[in-house]
């Protein structure tokens, strides 16, 4: 729980820095998108990942591809593997286009 609290504090600080990272058609902020994917935290943990739960898959579908890409392109988050995050749509059987990870 202490790690989660630190994670939230870190994300709040970073939220100010990610205005330029907002997606093309994503109406959510980096922070609100991250909060929406809390049910997926075990599925994207680099230390002991588990298959995404039904709640995680529902969150991924509700979030949508543009906002998922905002998360992947945003600041790194401790305890979250970007590669595993990119695999969530496939594991959840959604038909999202892949995120383009090129940075200028």
């Amino acid at each position: 729980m202490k790690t989660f609290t630190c994670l939230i504090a870190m994300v709040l600080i970073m939220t100010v820095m990610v205005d330029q990272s907002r997606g093309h058609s994503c109406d959510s902020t980096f922070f609100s998108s991250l909060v929406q994917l809390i049910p997926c935290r075990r599925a994207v943990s680099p230390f002991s990942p588990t298959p995404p739960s039904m709640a995680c898959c529902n969150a991924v579908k509700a979030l949508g591809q543009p906002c998922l890409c905002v998360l992947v392109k945003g600041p790194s988050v401790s305890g979250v593997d970007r590669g595993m995050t990119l695999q969530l749509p496939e594991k959840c059987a959604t038909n999202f286009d892949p995120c383009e990870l090129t940075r200028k």
Side-chain angles (χ1 to χ4, degrees):
M1 191 63 166
K2 183 178 178 183
T3 303
F4 183 70
T5 304
C6 290
L7 172 71
I8 294 297
M10 184 174 76
V11 170
L12 283 172
I13 293 168
M14 289 183 196
T15 302
V16 175
M17 302 176 353
V18 295
D19 265 351
Q20 69 274 10
S21 297
R22 296 190 75 194
H24 302 284
S25 60
C26 177
D27 294 329
S28 300
T29 64
F30 176 85
F31 179 72
S32 65
S33 296
L34 184 64
V35 168
Q36 190 169 346
L37 284 184
I38 286 176
C40 298
R41 70 179 178 263
R42 289 186 178 174
V44 297
S45 169
F47 308 111
S48 57
T50 61
S53 65
M54 180 72 77
C56 172
C57 289
N58 288 338
V60 170
K61 290 174 187 176
L63 186 64
Q65 186 263 0
C67 293
L68 184 67
C69 292
V70 166
L71 284 174
V72 173
K73 293 177 184 180
S76 62
V77 177
S78 178
V80 175
D81 183 288
R82 287 178 194 234
M84 293 173 144
T85 304
L86 285 172
Q87 294 173 8
L88 286 175
E90 182 179 341
K91 290 180 178 180
C92 291
T94 61
N95 293 321
F96 293 166
D97 291 329
C99 299
E100 292 183 28
L101 296 179
T102 57
R103 292 184 185 222
K104 295 179 181 179

